[in-house]
Every structure is written in structure tokens, then in C-alpha cells.
Amino acid sequence: MSKILGIIGGGQLGMMIAEAAKKMPEQVTKIIVLDPTKNCPAAQVGAEQIIADFKDKNAIEELASKSDIITYEIESGDSDVLKSVEKDAEINPSPETLRIIQDKFLQKSFLKENNIPVPEFIEISSFGDLEEGLKKFGFPALLKARRDAYDGRGNFKIDSPEQTRTGFDYFKGQKLMLEKFVPFKMEVSVIAARNTKGEIKTFPLVENIHEDNILRETIAPARISDEVAKKAEEIASITMDVLKGAGVFGIEMFVTRDNQILINEIAPRVHNSGHHTLQSSETSQFEQHLRAILGLDLGSTKLVNHTIMYNVLGSKTFEGEYKPITLSEPNIFLKMYGKSISKPLRKLGHFNLVAENDETIEQLLEKLELLKNKVVTQPVN
Ligand code: ATP
Ligand code: MG
């Protein structure tokens, strides 16, 4: 039976979910997104839009009344409001799963209770707690906002005792947690899916390179031993099993110098580090997400070609309209998100650089170096 799909958030993730849904007309007849920005990326690919804040209760109720099934591309939704509209629309991942994940402290506590490895952490409710915690963990340590963080903006690295007060005051009364610093050798992630029937599949482990706290490139597969990759994928599977929610989740992890895997954080949604699947894999993460929430069998997660994903970010030096970005080389798949205004480090698009024949990751990385300056945003005048 074909369904009307509601998506909370119509940015690039909502846009790519909508594009995948359009290829499944037998399952999805119509897509409605809720997003505050007029003509958001998802609306530009044909989704109907309700223009309102993501947390607007009336707007969420309207979306639920018009949809058969609701999903989201952001994790900051109000899980109580979502719970209250479950009578009108099926919500996947479930509001309960969202509630646990959207609070980093609850999320890590939940993982720890389920014997899933995470960095050491404690809750911080006062300046005294922070001083105690720093004594325990030493320096540096990461002070993190428990909720609504993205692109590293909710983190403060405390390097020395003198920074304790500055770090604490930086968050102006937000709920906080402190985490021991992990001197990782690599950041990796697993895109994992669980469908409404409980079937679980993981995409192969990928390697993530961050700059200025923002994901810059993803290398698929990660340059690490099969043994470590297998361990990470197993941890991701177990995590999906205990979390129960249906959908695609992005599970970010650290690989320590002695090859331990620690989960850094989970996003209950499709993830930037899964964009390579649009070209590299038999099923894209967006199609997989739809399969998962609609209760279809999950698609194959086989990686067909080595691929590097590179994010096109707004130049740090200007804000405003930018000249069109194009790339016409073979085996390069550029996807711009239709955002008319560039802002420093704003995610404006990405491209996938796909290996031909038996090209190695090292060769792809060399090619990438030559392409980077072609996607630097320039002001229109
Ligand atoms: P995003 O939404 O971009 O994933 P975020 O704001 O939710 O970011 P985190 O994922 O918690 O933030 O952290 C951002 C980055 O900071 C991580 O990718 C990692 O590089 C670094 N980081 C976070 N926690 C730790 C830690 N305990 N030890 C070392 N580095 C850390
Ligand atoms: Mg993160």
C-alpha cells in the first residue's frame, strides 16, 4: 500500500530521502516536509512543504494528520510532541529511541548499560562536578552540551586547569557532560539499518576526516584491518539491536591506538558519512532508510567501488550568493543542495570520487587533491 511520507527537516538529508522516495512510487505517493526555510532543499525536488519551526507543535500535528508515516533528518525534534501524534502517523525511528539518543548523556549511559564500549564520561551539574571530573580524567577533556549540538559546536576542549571556568561559562547554563579525551588513531563510522521487523544490516566501515570540527571527507572503505572493521560493524549491529528504533542510523566511532572501538555518538538518521553510498553501494543509505521505516526487506550493503566523499563547504571568508560550482570529470558525482547563500563552513554540497577498475584509495586521494580548489566558493561579485 502506497503511503504519504512526512519528513521533519527539509535540508539536504530530507532532500536525498525525498529523491530516493520518488524512485519508489509503489511505496510512497507523496512527500511532505516540515522546515522553517522557504523553498528548502527538499521542496526543490518536489516535496510539499509546511513552513514552520521543527519544534512547532501545531505544525507537527498538521504533518501527522497529513502523513501515514513520519521520519526525520534532524535529531532535535521534541520527542514528547512526536509521541503525542503517534496515534495519527507511524513514527520511525520511534520517539522513545529519539529521546534516548538526542541527549548525549542518556545515549552514552544507555550504551554503557548495554556493555557497548564508549569513552569514560560523567554528568556535570555544577562547577564543582567539573573540577572533580577533571581531576579524574585529566587534561585535555571534552566538556559537551548534552543536547542540540552539531558540527562540534556543542563541545569545549579543556586543555588546562586555567580553562575550567571559561569552559563552564561557555555553555551558559546548558545541561552538560564531561568526557575523557580519546587519543584516537582514526575516526570511523558505520551506517546501520534496522527495519520495523527487526532485520539489521550494516554498510562497511568508513574513515572520516574532520576539519574545524566538521566532516570534510569520508573514505570508503576505512584504511584499517578487516578484523577492526568487522569488530566495528558488529558493535554497530548490537547497538541497533538494543536501540530498537527503525531506520538508518549513523554511528560515529573512534579507533584507539590499540585497536579498540569506542562509540563517539549516534545520529538516529541518515548521515553525512553515508553519502558515498549514492554511488559506491548497491543500495544508497537513503533507499535503505525508506526500506527500513516502511518495513521492506533491507537492500544489499555491498560496497561496489572504493569511493571518497568530499564535502563542499562555504568559504570561511564570506557570506552571500556564490558562483555556481560544477565538476565535469569522469567518475565524479557532484551534488549541490540548492542553498542560494554560502556561509562560512556551511554544507552546500558534496561530491563522490569513485574508483575506476582497480584504482586504490591512495590514487583517489591524489586525484582529490587536484579537485579541492575547484569547489571553493567565490562570491558572485
Ligand atoms: P557532529 O554533529 O559534527 O558529529 P557534534 O557537535 O555532535 O558533531 P561530537 O561528534 O561529539 O560533536 O564531536 C565532534 C568531534 O570532536 C569528533 O568528531 C571528534 O573529532 C572530537 N571529539 C569528540 N569527543 C571526543 C573525545 N572524547 N576525545 C577526543 N576527541 C573527541
Ligand atoms: Mg559527531
Side-chain angles (χ1 to χ4, degrees):
M1 196 195 73
S2 197
K3 290 182 173 164
I4 298 176
L5 171 70
I7 310 175
I8 300 180
Q12 63 268 22
L13 303 178
M15 174 181 102
M16 290 183 272
I17 295 171
E19 286 174 325
K22 285 203 294 189
K23 292 184 196 152
M24 301 166 75
E26 281 173 25
Q27 276 80 30
V28 181
T29 33
K30 186 174 165 182
I31 304 145
I32 309 171
V33 297
L34 189 166
D35 194 284
T37 309
K38 213 177 156 198
N39 198 27
C40 63
Q44 293 179 34
V45 299
E48 189 177 306
Q49 183 178 359
I50 297 172
I51 300 174
D53 189 81
F54 305 121
K55 293 189 183 181
D56 182 326
K57 191 166 187 280
N58 292 330
I60 291 171
E61 284 169 356
E62 183 189 340
L63 183 69
S65 71
K66 290 180 170 170
S67 311
D68 298 306
I69 180 160
I70 288 182
T71 190
Y72 36 89
E73 61 140 35
I74 46 148
E75 55 267 51
S76 60
D78 185 325
S79 58
D80 289 334
V81 173
L82 286 176
K83 216 171 246 175
S84 74
V85 298
E86 268 183 310
K87 57 187 187 319
D88 299 317
E90 185 181 342
I91 300 173
N92 285 320
S94 72
E96 179 53 20
T97 302
L98 176 65
R99 187 185 70 82
I100 295 169
I101 291 184
Q102 71 185 178
D103 179 326
K104 285 184 177 181
F105 177 73
L106 288 186
Q107 182 192 125
K108 287 229 160 74
S109 304
F110 179 85
L111 293 172
K112 196 174 162 191
E113 281 159 22
N114 284 285
N115 298 315
I116 294 167
V118 291
E120 279 187 70
F121 67 96
I122 50 163
E123 184 177 9
I124 300 293
S125 306
S126 65
F127 186 69
D129 285 352
L130 180 58
E131 287 179 310
E132 280 301 307
L134 288 167
K135 262 187 220 151
K136 189 169 163 208
F137 295 158
F139 295 92
L142 266 289
L143 187 59
K144 296 188 172 185
R146 286 174 54 171
R147 293 182 61 124
D148 298 335
Y150 67 99
D151 294 344
R153 275 168 240 196
N155 291 354
F156 191 103
K157 183 159 157 265
I158 302 180
D159 288 309
S160 63
E162 297 73 51
Q163 288 180 333
T164 311
R165 178 50 75 180
T166 324
F168 189 74
D169 290 346
Y170 173 79
F171 290 102
K172 299 192 187 80
Q174 281 172 272
K175 286 182 151 188
L176 302 174
M177 64 183 282
L178 184 73
E179 222 171 84
K180 190 166 175 170
F181 185 80
V182 179
F184 54 80
K185 72 172 182 189
M186 191 184 279
E187 285 198 79
V188 294
S189 60
V190 176
I191 304 297
R194 181 177 179 279
N195 73 8
T196 51
K197 293 179 279 190
E199 185 195 3
I200 293 170
K201 276 193 183 172
T202 55
F203 285 88
L205 187 73
V206 297
E207 175 178 346
N208 296 319
I209 297 168
H210 292 85
E211 264 171 40
D212 301 308
N213 277 310
I214 292 186
L215 181 65
R216 188 78 245 203
E217 32 187 286
T218 294
I219 301 173
R223 293 170 293 172
I224 204 130
S225 73
D226 289 349
E227 197 187 333
V228 173
K230 191 162 164 270
K231 184 158 68 179
E233 290 157 20
E234 269 168 19
I235 289 173
S237 268
I238 295 168
T239 303
M240 293 306 282
D241 186 44
V242 296
L243 270 173
K244 297 280 184 279
V248 157
F249 289 32
I251 306 180
E252 301 176 11
M253 305 165 172
F254 301 130
V255 183
T256 64
R257 288 184 196 133
D258 57 354
N259 287 331
Q260 295 306 302
I261 303 283
L262 300 172
I263 292 190
N264 170 36
E265 65 165 344
I266 302 175
R269 54 167 171 77
V270 290
H271 194 258
N272 195 170
S273 71
H275 292 357
H276 68 91
T277 59
L278 282 169
Q279 274 83 33
S280 68
S281 307
E282 286 184 349
T283 310
S284 79
Q285 65 163 343
F286 306 101
E287 178 186 337
Q288 193 77 311
H289 180 64
L290 292 165
R291 290 182 159 278
I293 65 173
L294 294 165
L296 305 176
D297 289 345
L298 297 175
S300 159
T301 53
K302 186 172 185 293
L303 189 76
V304 182
N305 288 303
H306 291 185
T307 297
I308 298 179
M309 188 281 320
Y310 186 73
N311 272 339
V312 177
L313 303 178
S315 153
K316 283 188 206 170
T317 54
F318 84 98
E319 174 163 342
E321 285 181 49
Y322 58 100
K323 289 187 184 149
I325 288 178
T326 53
L327 282 176
S328 48
E329 284 82 349
N331 300 310
I332 293 166
F333 300 82
L334 175 70
K335 178 134 200 96
M336 296 301 293
Y337 306 145
K339 300 178 186 177
S340 55
I341 300 297
S342 175
K343 293 180 190 171
L345 301 179
R346 186 178 198 193
K347 288 177 180 169
L348 299 172
H350 74 265
F351 65 82
N352 286 333
L353 180 53
V354 180
E356 332 169 50
N357 309 321
D358 46 5
E359 247 177 335
T360 63
I361 295 284
E362 298 312 319
Q363 285 167 319
L364 285 182
L365 284 168
E366 274 173 36
K367 266 194 188 170
L368 177 65
E369 282 313 307
L370 305 173
L371 292 165
K372 286 182 178 176
N373 62 2
K374 297 193 179 181
V375 293
V376 175
T377 52
Q378 309 282 354
V380 278
N381 43 34

